[in-house]
Amino acid sequence: MHIAIIGSGNVGGALAAAAVKAGHTVTLSSSDGEKAEAVADSVGATAAATNPAAVEDAEAVVLAVPGAAVPGIAEELRDSLAGKVVIDSTNPLNDTFSDLTTSGRSAAELLQDDLPGVPVVKAFNTILAGRHGNPTEDGKPLDAFLAGDDPAAKATATALAESLGYRVIDAGGLRMARSLEEMAFLNISVNAANGWVWQSGWKLVGPTVAE
Ligand SMILES: NC(=O)c1ccc[n+]([C@@H]2O[C@H](COP(=O)([O-])OP(=O)(O)OC[C@H]3O[C@@H](n4cnc5c(N)ncnc54)[C@H](OP(=O)(O)O)[C@@H]3O)[C@@H](O)[C@H]2O)c1
């Protein structure tokens, strides 16, 4: 799969490394082209000079930028995203990481409003960046929760997450992104409050097969 990743920081870099390792073609961009190039060089990806150039040949576009940057990127890329799947790995954290900036609807639903006709899937936002290179715990894959309203787009995100080694849990429609954004915030909060090492991941235990 050809993936564009917008943002070359903790998440963008780690996802790019894992995706390249899994055999995908990855194009990275950043607000600083030189940074994107350095990260791309270090993981075997390609850097693009701009966000629109990054998404040009991509089937799936992963947003890995600060939550506050998402509306501007939606505006910038709206005309370049036809026929592509947008995977929103962002979390709408405030400046001090002490709360989410959303109330009621999720950032992913707001993004979908901004991108009519382009399917948005919430995925990877519940997974700390440091786990993308090591998505197993006690010999079992960590869970990648995703949510979205378009089945084909969810299938694309599922294929990507599974190729990286995760077990995918389909949480339902995009409305469930509200829960996924709160799950991410909970994991962040407990790591910060307890001085943990930012490696904890979500795993649903017990039977998860249909009756
Ligand atoms: N860190 C985690 O473990 C984790 C886990 C799950 C989800 N998330 C979420 O994922 C997102 C990224 O987190 P992160 O830790 O990777 O942040 P980060 O390390 O600060 O990286 C953010 C990246 O986005 C780039 N960026 C900012 N504005 C941009 C724009 N307009 N166009 C293109 N690139 C832009 C930044 O470029 P410059 O450096 O040049 O500004 C940087 O490369 C956040 O929403 C976060 O809440 C993080």
Side-chain angles (χ1 to χ4, degrees), residues 150-189:
D150 184 294
K154 278 206 285 200
T156 299
T158 296
L160 175 59
E162 287 181 345
S163 74
L164 304 188
Y166 291 102
R167 178 180 73 158
V168 169
I169 296 201
D170 182 348
L174 200 59
R175 184 250 175 262
M176 292 308 294
R178 300 175 199 178
S179 300
L180 303 192
E181 290 171 7
E182 288 287 1
M183 280 170 69
F185 181 47
L186 174 58
N187 201 11
I188 290 164
S189 297

Side-chain angles (χ1 to χ4, degrees), residues 55-135:
V55 306
E56 224 163 66
D57 298 319
E59 177 184 344
V61 177
V62 180
L63 300 188
V65 297
V70 172
I73 290 172
E75 168 113 35
E76 180 187 20
L77 292 183
R78 189 172 298 129
D79 295 336
S80 318
L81 291 174
K84 304 177 194 298
V85 172
V86 169
I87 298 175
D88 176 22
S89 80
T90 73
N91 286 305
L93 293 161
N94 68 10
D95 288 345
T96 56
F97 288 19
S98 62
D99 206 347
L100 299 181
T101 57
T102 43
S103 72
R105 298 176 78 228
S106 63
E109 291 168 284
L110 301 177
L111 174 63
Q112 183 66 85
D113 288 350
D114 283 346
L115 295 175
V118 178
V120 172
V121 180
K122 192 88 199 181
F124 299 119
N125 73 301
T126 61
I127 300 166
L128 293 173
R131 293 313 300 241
H132 290 312
N134 173 30

Side-chain angles (χ1 to χ4, degrees), residues 8-11 30-32 35 51 65 89-91 125 127-129:
S8 307
N10 298 312
V11 173
S30 166
S31 44
D32 177 340
K35 270 196 213 166
N51 295 332
V65 297
S89 80
T90 73
N91 286 305
N125 73 301
I127 300 166
L128 293 173

